[in-house]
Amino acid sequence: MDLKSNHSSPVLTDSTPMNNSRLGIHSALLPYSPPVAAFSSSLLLTIPRRKAGLLDDVRSNCWLDAMKSSSPTHKKLTKDSGNDSALSDSEVAYRNWMLKYPSALATFEQTTNFAKGKRVALFLDYDGTLSPIVDNPDQAFMSNAMRAAVRAVAKHFPTAIISGRSRDKVYEFVGLSELYYAGSHGMDIMGPVRTISNDRTNGFGSTNKQNYTNLLIPLANKLIPFVQYQGKEVNLFQPAREFVLMIDEVFRTLVEITKDIEGAKVENNKFCVSVHYRNVHEKSWKTVGECVHDVLKNYPRLRLTHGRKVLEVRPVLSWDKGKAVEFLLKSLGLSNCDDVLPIYVGDDRTDEDAFKVLREGNRGYGILVSSLPKESNAFYSLRDPSEVMEFLSSLVMWKKSSAL
Ligand SMILES: O=P(O)(O)OC[C@H]1O[C@H](O[C@H]2O[C@H](CO)[C@@H](O)[C@H](O)[C@H]2O)[C@H](O)[C@@H](O)[C@@H]1O
């Protein structure tokens, strides 16, 4: 195995498709390989050369600072401040922040006035949005009430779950076959699960009675092959499929080198890897960062992003949750239409890519789920998953009443 670093490369813009030759497996042998999903030079992210020991060297503490600032908890804020007036200070700060990011519930009427006559498309993040943040990532279950709210909303609007988790995992948690799923931060997109049928001409719409599904543009049908998933038929789009074995290799290496760090947990999300430090004592966070840094040195085609008490290793690809939203809107025939209102609800830094796409395209808005003030590209806010549920239910009620 060639573990040589490629720091000499000025930019990571190799236009030749990766063939995983290092792993000895040609990409054509990988599962689900639609021709269009082939690794494209246009998806390669141009990033500045890594300056080891300066820019992203954990020893310079910048990673550690990012790790420390990742997802501070409300509990910590109040505990550290030590008295009740500090609690109200934080509440005051939150209310001030809400002047900039008003509650999506308080401004609901404004939204529905704007949404009148428009087709709403919903994009929902999973962790911290549909399920509360918990210590064990394997137990981040969504409540039955939330599941019912998502099911209800999906009856009226095209609805997609866009998560950093593997698509399989998030599908298992949500358990609703009528939704679109984008796992691995949008690098693994799946249309609603359909009963196997010979009729492939009308794509996702063949078993779904909702009007929007008939709007699938031909492009999507052409680009996404039909593949078997749990005995059913689905459409898949996997722009990072070339990385699947590399990611698995990195996952295994990370499991091995972090095994002695108490509380560290490495999660294989198929096209990216999460290294959790939520349950690691703060004094060992630096060690976690160093482990990830040491592994990444050997994989110049992988990069690191920060999530909520998690380091995420992902391909150097210009593909993120924002791109996934654009792809899904296009697939649904809902892009470049004045009568479409996409709404994205998420809590994490990776959701900012989607908020930005909507804000910059001036074609919808993001709702940030946060109980703490933080800068965002979203327009509105909700405090926590329970408010998300209320928002989803309000959308359903509005839709039902406007159909009367
Ligand atoms: O895009 P998302 O659906 O928000 O997924 C982002 C990451 O979520 C999960 O980790 C986070 O939630 C865990 C459960 O509440 C929590 O323990 C962890 O600290 C959070 O970072 C998931 O485990 C990751 O793989 C996702 O990338």
Side-chain angles (χ1 to χ4, degrees):
M1 185 168 54
D2 169 18
L3 289 179
K4 270 191 226 100
S5 163
N6 192 16
H7 287 309
S8 57
S9 162
V11 283
L12 303 175
T13 51
D14 184 357
S15 60
T16 47
M18 276 180 61
N19 62 9
N20 282 297
S21 56
R22 194 152 67 91
L23 299 156
I25 295 180
H26 191 271
S27 61
L29 297 180
L30 293 172
Y32 312 147
S33 22
V36 293
F39 194 71
S40 148
S41 57
S42 64
L43 291 184
L44 277 162
L45 198 61
T46 303
I47 60 168
R49 172 185 177 174
R50 278 194 202 144
K51 291 184 185 163
L54 179 64
L55 274 185
D56 59 354
D57 188 342
V58 274
R59 289 162 192 90
S60 76
N61 279 343
C62 59
W63 276 27
L64 192 59
D65 289 346
M67 288 170 81
K68 282 184 179 158
S69 69
S70 150
S71 182
T73 60
H74 197 249
K75 211 164 87 201
K76 186 157 182 264
L77 192 79
T78 54
K79 188 171 148 248
D80 288 350
S81 13
N83 59 39
D84 286 350
S85 67
L87 177 66
S88 68
D89 278 354
S90 62
E91 186 55 30
V92 168
Y94 190 80
R95 286 177 192 191
N96 282 337
W97 174 79
M98 279 171 79
L99 297 174
K100 189 168 174 194
Y101 305 97
S103 160
L105 289 172
T107 55
F108 192 72
E109 205 179 323
Q110 207 175 303
T111 300
T112 51
N113 284 339
F114 184 66
K116 258 182 211 139
K118 292 189 168 66
R119 290 171 288 165
V120 172
L122 263 185
F123 300 93
L124 306 169
D125 167 57
Y126 183 76
D127 287 281
T129 298
L130 297 182
S131 69
I133 293 293
V134 292
D135 284 346
N136 183 351
D138 293 335
Q139 292 189 350
F141 305 116
M142 70 194 272
S143 66
N144 286 334
M146 180 65 96
R147 185 168 297 102
V150 176
R151 182 184 285 123
V153 93
K155 278 193 183 134
H156 299 281
F157 314 102
T159 303
I161 308 290
I162 308 210
S163 173
R165 288 183 183 264
S166 75
R167 175 173 49 80
D168 281 350
K169 188 74 187 175
V170 76
Y171 183 84
E172 184 190 316
F173 276 152
V174 177
L176 298 171
S177 60
E178 59 268 47
L179 310 182
Y180 294 79
Y181 288 87
S184 309
H185 296 294
M187 289 179 282
D188 192 3
I189 302 181
M190 179 176 90
V193 177
R194 315 162 349 113
T195 322
I196 293 174
S197 124
N198 290 329
D199 174 17
R200 294 180 170 184
T201 52
N202 53 356
F204 300 163
S206 65
T207 55
N208 198 320
K209 294 188 184 68
Q210 298 155 45
N211 290 338
Y212 66 82
T213 51
N214 295 325
L215 294 171
L216 264 181
I217 55 165
L219 183 70
N221 277 342
K222 212 164 82 194
L223 296 188
I224 309 172
F226 289 82
V227 294
Q228 301 276 315
Y229 183 72
Q230 298 185 349
K232 301 278 169 80
E233 213 168 50
V234 294
N235 299 77
L236 284 183
F237 180 67
Q238 297 176 321
R241 67 187 170 81
E242 304 282 347
F243 286 89
V244 77
L245 294 177
M246 184 190 284
I247 289 291
D248 189 55
E249 186 178 270
V250 167
F251 163 72
R252 282 183 280 109
T253 310
L254 284 167
V255 168
E256 182 56 31
I257 67 167
T258 58
K259 69 174 192 284
D260 294 329
I261 307 174
E262 204 184 324
K265 182 177 172 65
V266 187
E267 195 181 357
N268 188 342
N269 289 333
K270 190 162 182 172
F271 297 108
C272 47
V273 178
S274 294
V275 183
H276 294 276
Y277 56 93
R278 179 170 297 277
N279 302 317
V280 173
H281 193 285
E282 202 168 327
K283 71 177 174 7
S284 301
W285 287 5
K286 193 170 178 210
T287 316
V288 175
E290 282 168 355
C291 286
V292 177
H293 179 261
D294 287 347
V295 173
L296 269 186
K297 269 195 306 203
N298 301 315
Y299 293 89
R301 290 173 191 274
L302 299 180
R303 65 185 170 120
L304 177 101
T305 56
H306 292 262
R308 299 181 70 159
K309 301 270 187 283
V310 68
L311 297 174
E312 313 221 61
V313 175
R314 51 206 278 190
V316 180
L317 271 192
S318 172
W319 195 269
D320 51 35
K321 289 183 171 186
K323 289 273 171 32
V325 166
E326 285 178 322
F327 178 86
L328 282 163
L329 283 171
K330 206 166 180 186
S331 300
L332 287 159
L334 298 177
S335 63
N336 303 322
C337 306
D338 289 342
D339 67 341
V340 172
L341 179 64
I343 299 175
Y344 187 107
V345 192
D347 72 313
D348 209 346
R349 288 192 207 177
T350 58
D351 299 310
E352 291 295 329
D353 294 319
F355 295 154
K356 206 164 165 217
V357 157
L358 297 184
R359 181 183 273 270
E360 288 177 356
N362 200 18
R363 54 180 162 164
Y365 59 84
I367 301 176
L368 176 68
V369 184
S370 179
S371 56
L372 286 175
K374 56 181 175 188
E375 278 306 302
S376 173
N377 278 299
F379 275 89
Y380 296 105
S381 66
L382 290 168
R383 255 180 207 263
D384 51 33
S386 71
E387 286 202 358
V388 173
M389 190 164 86
E390 204 179 325
F391 178 77
L392 298 181
S393 305
S394 305
L395 276 177
V396 172
M397 276 191 294
W398 164 71
K399 188 69 186 175
K400 283 183 176 163
S401 66
S402 59
L404 293 176

